[in-house]
Amino acid sequence: MEARVRTHILMDTSQVPLQAAHGLHCSTAMHTFDSSLVPHPPKPPRRPIKALALHEELFRKAPDGTREKASFVQAIQDFAQYNVHKRGHVDFIYLALRKMREYGVERDLAVYNLLLDIFPKEVFRPRSIFQTIFYHYPRQQECGIAVLEQMENHGVMPNKETEFLLIQIFGRKSYPMLKYVRMKLWFTRFRNINPFPLPRDLPQDPVDLARLALRHMEPDLSARVTVYQMSLPEDSKDAVDPTEPHIVGIQSPDQQAALACHDPARPIFVEGPFSLWLRDKCVYYHILRADLLPPEERKVEEIPEEWSLYYPMQLDLAYERSGWDDYKFNINEVEEGPVFAICMAGAHDQATLAKWIQGLQETNPALARIPVVFRLAGSAGELLASSSGPEGSSPPPSEGQEEEDDNQQRQQQGQS
């Protein structure tokens, strides 16, 4: 009887599926190669944490109401002096990052190093490999990355002092240190990659800024920048119009020659305003252009063969193509009419741009015989204005000529 019971028990236990023995540190969850034990660093918060009112009082204005670097540095020193245990240092650093633009120190490397020096030293460094893997002190590391990101946005290159502070605060195997290494790698490669560099500090005067922008757009080095009208100061009382805007234009000798050869029967257009960004400043410009000529009226200049004896300008070679060659090309070629001049003005109305056209007549006499059409973005429609000034008035046209001009203007308005 005992043998039968023992056999029955053995048979029941044999039907139970075998499971592998689990160790002390093993888990029953199935791990795959896609899952990783190393967590990704959390994204920094979109909005910085609100600082305490006590920190706001440190950035109070100076007695004379000015905000400068000395008062900003004094606020940092006051926080480090009166808060020995560095409590609330993360909130203070976030607040200081927001206040840097007001004090004009957003591009000062020494100020960023002072902010990093606020962190307690040797506290947030990982002591083991597990602390390194699991993102030791995440809030403090996010704050350090925020300081480096603001340096990156303003083009500030970290130096050896920044590296020493990061190693002393977070250690070498930390995310702020990884951010520093990437900045040192890519900043040196992309610092001088722009073929058309701009000065770091843009001029504050609108006339000087317009000159810089026009020189930046015009590829011809022989182009001449002309100031047609200077803006008057706001406190001027003797002037008739105290809000007189500035007008600055540029024109090259080739553009003057093209305007002199333009057909007076075809109008030219003043278009704009178009935006142009110079770092963090946006300026607007207008162009004086004409429509593209029809194909039958274009003149193709033939280059004589004597000009290029050894290197011909044109080769008519019939290459054999096989069946594998693709004849379909996605090329979108857009031909535009010639541009005769560019200007930047303090106002974008027709009256201001009409003064620019009158100023162009001094160097372009043919402009007095060409009708000018204003195509402004803010206007309700096209306004036809005579380019001739009040002094040089042209004789009145005949009735037939007036009808032809009216029909031509209506056709142009319908096409536009």
Side-chain angles (χ1 to χ4, degrees), residues 1-14:
M1 186 66 181
E2 293 179 358
R4 292 180 180 178
V5 174
R6 188 176 300 172
T7 305
H8 181 68
I9 293 174
L10 291 175
M11 291 176 62
D12 291 341
T13 55
S14 62

Side-chain angles (χ1 to χ4, degrees), residues 358 361 365 367-370 386-397:
Q358 293 177 4
Q361 293 180 12
L367 187 58
R369 302 186 302 271
I370 304 174
S386 176
S387 60
S388 60
E391 298 178 357
S393 59
S394 59

